[in-house]
Amino acid sequence: MMAHSSSLGVQCGTITLLILPAITILVYFLTVFPHNPACLVIHPSLSSLSKESRSWQIYDEDFFQGGAYVSFPYGRVRYWLFGPEEGTRIVLIHGLSIPAIIWKDIAPQLAARGFRVLLYDLYGRGYSDAPKMTYDTTLYVTQLALLMQYIGWDNTHVVGLSMGGGIAAAFCDQFPHLVSGHVALIASAGIVKSTDLSRTSKFLSSPIMQTITSSYPFRLYLQHLANNATTIDNPIAELVRIQSAHLPGYNTAIASSIREGPIRSLAPTFASLGRNLRKRGGQVLLIWGTEDNVVPYHYAARVQTLLSSAKLITIEGAKHDLTLSHGSEIARHLVDFFRG
């Protein structure tokens, strides 16, 4: 019995010695041999939905004047450019989940006051495509840089709302030569602590939930809920539901932005921005609502510690949707700041 076991062991050892080199050579060639890179998957935007969809009634692609599309390596981007051609240039960057419609009460007022206004939908929102990739700060900053290059702007004032504030800070820090010197941050994300993120946000942005919420069966369920809604009391909230239910890349973009995007860990960027602006004589305006439950008001003080010369305007009772609830007031503050 022992002799049989010994013989079997020798045979197994011999077979292993014969097979192992072959496997090693095969793995080597599979590793080093050139492969064609995988094609980038790009999910469609709101423009792909039927004209019967409520999204077209709430927020059509010509919601603002001067709308156009431009194709970049990561998909098409929808932008709007309006106001006097010789006016002071200003770009408005929206936040995490709501596209450029969030500026509906502010952008027209800026244009009417002589500003040349640039609006656009971030990748994965509204009428901009949703590339299947990591939605990090680099993606968003590159999107704006390419857009400015395309329209021929060599400098601009910058306004960022919520996550758009983090994008604005990173853009101004990385491309200071493209910034006129003044920056406005409204209820800005960028240094949000993980402990301040709701459990729901953490849960829905986890990789496993990202896979589930982006799956076709789950979106069918969301479409069923959206189609059977009996009341329409908040068109903006409905637009978010439509994107989540009907756009394959939307939930992925949101989840990835929460995990890897310009919501957290940008304290060094804010500090660098403050130093650069001081050298160039630039200024920062902060606008915050006292009842903000998304990026709470105490973050205004934290941002001021990084941007020591920033001016803070507090809007009593305003929540995170302050560009909708206090649009005229914010527009007035922006005009005074950028003209001053």
Side-chain angles (χ1 to χ4, degrees):
M1 188 64 143
M2 292 180 61
H4 176 73
S5 299
S6 177
S7 175
L8 183 61
V10 171
Q11 291 178 12
C12 290
T14 302
I15 293 173
T16 300
L17 290 175
L18 291 174
I19 294 177
L20 188 59
I23 293 176
T24 302
I25 293 172
L26 177 62
V27 170
Y28 172 78
F29 278 107
L30 288 175
T31 303
V32 301
F33 197 82
H35 296 280
N36 291 327
C39 294
L40 176 66
V41 176
I42 297 178
H43 295 297
S45 69
L46 284 176
S47 64
S48 66
L49 300 187
S50 165
K51 294 291 184 177
E52 302 302 316
S53 171
R54 271 277 297 166
S55 62
W56 288 95
Q57 301 173 41
I58 299 170
Y59 176 54
D60 67 72
E61 62 184 10
D62 292 318
F63 189 86
F64 299 102
Q65 301 174 15
Y69 286 101
V70 56
S71 294
F72 292 141
Y74 297 135
R76 287 201 314 170
V77 171
R78 183 67 176 179
Y79 71 94
W80 298 264
L81 188 59
F82 56 98
E85 290 190 9
E86 301 303 320
T88 301
R89 297 168 179 173
I90 189 168
V91 59
L92 309 180
I93 311 171
H94 68 77
L96 177 69
S97 58
I98 303 172
I101 191 177
I102 199 73
W103 300 110
K104 69 183 183 68
D105 297 324
I106 294 177
Q109 294 190 56
L110 294 177
R113 297 293 296 274
F115 286 85
R116 183 67 166 167
V117 180
L118 172 62
L119 299 176
Y120 67 104
D121 285 340
L122 295 173
Y123 282 125
R125 286 81 167 177
Y127 290 96
S128 290
D129 287 342
K132 189 176 181 180
M133 60 189 305
T134 300
Y135 282 72
D136 57 12
T137 302
T138 299
L139 174 67
Y140 293 120
V141 168
T142 301
Q143 181 185 11
L144 179 53
L146 288 173
L147 182 56
M148 284 187 59
Q149 181 187 50
Y150 177 78
I151 65 173
W153 279 15
D154 56 5
N155 64 80
T156 183
H157 293 313
V158 182
V159 182
L161 167 67
S162 191
M163 187 184 79
I167 297 171
F171 178 81
C172 296
D173 182 53
Q174 295 182 30
F175 297 98
H177 59 287
L178 297 180
V179 181
S180 299
H182 296 329
V183 183
L185 306 177
I186 305 173
S188 177
I191 59 171
V192 175
K193 292 185 176 180
S194 297
T195 53
D196 284 332
L197 291 175
S198 67
R199 291 181 179 178
T200 301
S201 295
K202 293 177 182 178
F203 177 66
L204 292 179
S205 64
S206 64
I208 186 170
M209 282 306 299
Q210 176 181 323
T211 301
I212 293 173
T213 57
S214 300
S215 66
Y216 183 65
F218 188 84
R219 287 190 296 105
L220 276 181
Y221 172 69
L222 293 179
Q223 291 170 25
H224 171 75
L225 294 180
N227 293 336
N228 287 276
T230 56
T231 59
I232 303 172
D233 57 350
N234 188 334
I236 300 296
E238 185 181 2
L239 182 64
V240 171
R241 291 195 296 269
I242 290 171
Q243 292 178 104
S244 181
H246 293 277
L247 301 185
Y250 178 79
N251 294 327
T252 298
I254 298 297
S256 180
S257 295
I258 294 174
R259 288 199 315 272
E260 297 114 352
I263 291 178
R264 296 172 289 163
S265 306
L266 290 182
T269 298
F270 277 82
S272 176
L273 170 64
R275 291 191 297 270
N276 291 336
L277 285 179
R278 281 196 299 272
K279 292 178 182 178
R280 300 167 55 206
Q283 299 179 359
V284 178
L285 175 68
L286 305 178
I287 302 177
W288 236 283
T290 57
E291 300 302 316
D292 193 329
N293 58 357
V294 177
V295 185
Y297 180 68
H298 62 78
Y299 275 104
R302 295 185 185 178
V303 173
Q304 280 189 300
T305 62
L306 300 169
L307 301 168
S308 57
S309 61
K311 175 184 177 183
L312 172 63
I313 292 177
T314 298
I315 301 183
E316 294 292 336
K319 298 181 179 180
H320 196 63
D321 63 350
L322 70 175
T323 58
L324 298 174
S325 62
H326 296 73
S328 295
E329 183 178 352
I330 291 175
R332 185 175 68 253
H333 288 308
L334 293 177
V335 170
D336 292 342
F337 173 67
F338 287 115
R339 283 193 172 164

